[in-house]
Amino acid sequence: QVQLVESGGGLVQAGGSLRLSCAASGGTFNNWDMGWFRQAPGKEREFVAAINWRGSRLYYADSVKGRFTISRDNAKNTLYLQMNSLKPEDTAIYTCAAGSTTPRYEDYPFRGQGTQVTFSS
């Protein structure tokens, strides 16, 4: 059974940084395209970033381009999201997902439970 477990969320201040991790198990991580999504309170879930199985193709939402970096370590079965220059509007639950690189959440058959990122003034 495929499991995705996110970690690394927390409180962050203006201009701060966080690195989210997503540990995968129960499948062949090396074969999966992966993505990050987020959902802020009262808003629709939105695409953040995606990476293909080799790590050679990266995709970003315009809202995070230049600030966030998606990466993966296939030897550790782990996906990362480095978030820099954080803004209040980045407050959300961040979820990793496996199986695609599209911006549509429904295209990813495997999803984690999410980790909370909260902007602290």
Side-chain angles (χ1 to χ4, degrees), residues 80-104:
Y80 302 101
L81 185 68
Q82 178 66 45
M83 306 187 296
N84 299 328
S85 302
L86 283 159
K87 304 175 181 179
E89 53 264 40
D90 295 320
T91 292
I93 296 174
Y94 285 73
T95 301
C96 70
S100 182
T101 56
T102 76
R104 301 195 318 161

Side-chain angles (χ1 to χ4, degrees), residues 56-73:
S56 59
R57 296 185 180 180
L58 311 180
Y59 307 89
Y60 295 97
D62 288 342
S63 58
V64 306
K65 202 171 293 183
R67 300 188 299 122
F68 290 11
T69 302
I70 188 171
S71 63
R72 64 190 297 158
D73 186 336

